[in-house]
Amino acid sequence: MKQIKKILESRKIRPSLHRLMVLEYIIRRHNHPTPEDIYNDLLTTIPAISRATVYNTLHLLQENGLVFSITIPGEETRYDYKGDSHAHFYCIHCGALRDIDYKCSCLKKRKIGHNLITEVQVCFRGICENCQKRTK
Amino acid sequence: MKQIKKILESRKIRPSLHRLMVLEYIIRRHNHPTPEDIYNDLLTTIPAISRATVYNTLHLLQENGLVFSITIPGEETRYDYKGDSHAHFYCIHCGALRDIDYKCSCLKKRKIGHNLITEVQVCFRGICENCQKRTK
DNA sequence: GTATCTGCAAAACATTTGCAATTCT
DNA sequence: AGAATTGCAAATGTTTTGCAGATAC
């Protein structure tokens, strides 16, 4: 928890309880939660927390480059901690979203033509191992 | 327009006027329109068209693999024709979304581990040439 | 004491749904 | 006629907003 606090302070974000807990949730679980996931989980610890605070906090963390959002058509936005950039795999059958260990030169691009690149999103879509078995 | 009709028929989709026009819009302009863009444009030609029809049609085209959707956090979903898979560049400053001529081996991956890949989305985010000039 | 942060409820917005009317074959 | 397609209006679900109260510095 002290590490989380340090992360916030390094970005000059006041480390309030809510912010600590939202960021901790994302970093610890690293399973791409939606704002609703975070809200529901934090409700058990902080009964009075409101959705607006969760959204506020996520925007704040995103503006400060600590987290980024992943959007899947037709689904709620999900958030992930911005450690090393990595690719994602989304199963169009069961909806699972997983980190993928896939190194690609495009993840490291910092310039294309005259455009500056600050972030690269790579999302593979398809059918995961489990779902292939199930449909056989 | 006859080509558009053939494309629909090749997927066994009945080529109604609305469907022809939605698909034509996406293919001709290829500037990643939102459902609202399409709706507003078609309104001038077909005054009675409804949003529901636009959404219906887009889902139908997507299910049949003719178009795919691109979602940018905080923005409406955009649609693009599914020709050769290509990468996108999104300017976080002005909001422009452009096709990018960037070949990468990851765009051709069909399998990662035991996961089948049916689609790869690569979106570079950053600041475009114009916006760099403007902020100087 | 002032600025920041939070909760609440309402509003805004994109998207979906149910159903009746229309159109096509 | 029968099936597919469409329009409308209401419903849904997510995200944002405004403001009042609470909290931190």
Side-chain angles (χ1 to χ4, degrees):
Chain A
M1 203 59 152
K2 287 201 175 160
Q3 287 172 17
I4 310 284
K5 196 175 169 188
K6 275 184 192 164
I7 295 173
L8 288 176
E9 283 166 348
S10 76
R11 308 288 170 131
K12 315 226 165 134
I13 301 171
R14 195 190 287 175
S16 71
L17 177 65
H18 297 73
R19 290 169 179 172
L20 282 166
M21 297 202 62
V22 168
L23 184 55
E24 194 209 17
Y25 184 101
I26 294 174
I27 292 182
R28 280 266 173 81
R29 315 241 182 157
H30 60 76
N31 52 356
H32 318 105
T34 65
E36 196 66 17
D37 291 335
I38 298 171
Y39 172 69
N40 283 321
D41 187 81
L42 296 195
L43 260 188
T44 65
T45 318
I46 317 173
I49 199 172
S50 84
R51 255 175 268 262
T53 300
V54 174
Y55 280 101
N56 277 344
T57 303
L58 289 170
H59 290 324
L60 184 72
L61 296 178
Q62 189 164 30
E63 280 159 22
N64 284 279
L66 290 174
V67 304
F68 66 96
S69 55
I70 311 163
T71 46
I72 307 281
E75 296 197 16
E76 229 179 313
T77 303
R78 305 179 188 217
Y79 287 84
D80 200 0
Y81 183 57
K82 210 169 181 174
D84 264 353
S85 62
H86 53 270
H88 290 104
F89 172 77
Y90 175 74
C91 177
I92 56 179
H93 196 266
C94 67
L97 180 69
R98 302 202 190 92
D99 287 348
I100 255 199
D101 186 24
Y102 180 69
K103 309 294 175 202
C104 179
S105 59
C106 61
L107 288 171
K108 287 167 195 154
K109 275 269 170 191
R110 287 295 159 258
K111 198 166 189 180
I112 293 184
H114 290 280
N115 302 312
L116 288 180
I117 311 297
T118 55
E119 193 179 325
V120 186
Q121 297 180 344
V122 178
C123 189
F124 295 97
R125 294 166 63 88
I127 302 174
C128 73
E129 192 176 357
N130 287 341
C131 286
Q132 287 173 55
K133 281 179 195 161
R134 260 177 237 139
T135 43
K136 261 176 202 167
Chain B
M1 204 57 152
K2 288 204 175 157
Q3 288 171 14
I4 309 282
K5 197 175 169 187
K6 275 184 193 166
I7 294 173
L8 287 177
E9 284 167 346
S10 75
R11 307 289 170 130
K12 315 225 162 129
I13 301 171
R14 196 191 285 176
S16 71
L17 177 64
H18 297 73
R19 289 169 180 174
L20 283 166
M21 298 202 62
V22 169
L23 183 56
E24 195 209 16
Y25 184 101
I26 294 173
I27 292 182
R28 280 266 173 81
R29 314 240 183 159
H30 60 76
N31 53 355
H32 318 104
T34 64
E36 196 66 19
D37 291 336
I38 299 171
Y39 172 70
N40 283 322
D41 188 80
L42 296 195
L43 260 188
T44 66
T45 318
I46 317 172
I49 200 171
S50 84
R51 256 174 266 262
T53 300
V54 174
Y55 280 100
N56 278 343
T57 304
L58 289 171
H59 290 323
L60 185 71
L61 297 177
Q62 189 165 30
E63 279 158 24
N64 284 278
L66 290 174
V67 304
F68 65 95
S69 55
I70 310 163
T71 46
I72 307 281
E75 295 197 15
E76 231 178 312
T77 303
R78 305 179 187 218
Y79 287 84
D80 199 1
Y81 182 58
K82 209 169 180 174
D84 264 353
S85 63
H86 54 270
H88 291 102
F89 173 77
Y90 174 75
C91 177
I92 57 178
H93 196 265
C94 68
L97 180 68
R98 302 202 191 91
D99 286 348
I100 256 199
D101 186 23
Y102 179 69
K103 308 294 176 205
C104 180
S105 58
C106 61
L107 287 170
K108 286 166 196 154
K109 274 270 170 189
R110 287 295 159 258
K111 197 167 190 181
I112 293 185
H114 290 279
N115 303 311
L116 288 179
I117 310 298
T118 55
E119 193 179 326
V120 186
Q121 299 180 343
V122 178
C123 189
F124 295 97
R125 296 166 63 87
I127 302 174
C128 72
E129 192 175 355
N130 287 341
C131 286
Q132 287 172 55
K133 282 178 194 160
R134 260 177 238 140
T135 44
K136 262 174 202 169

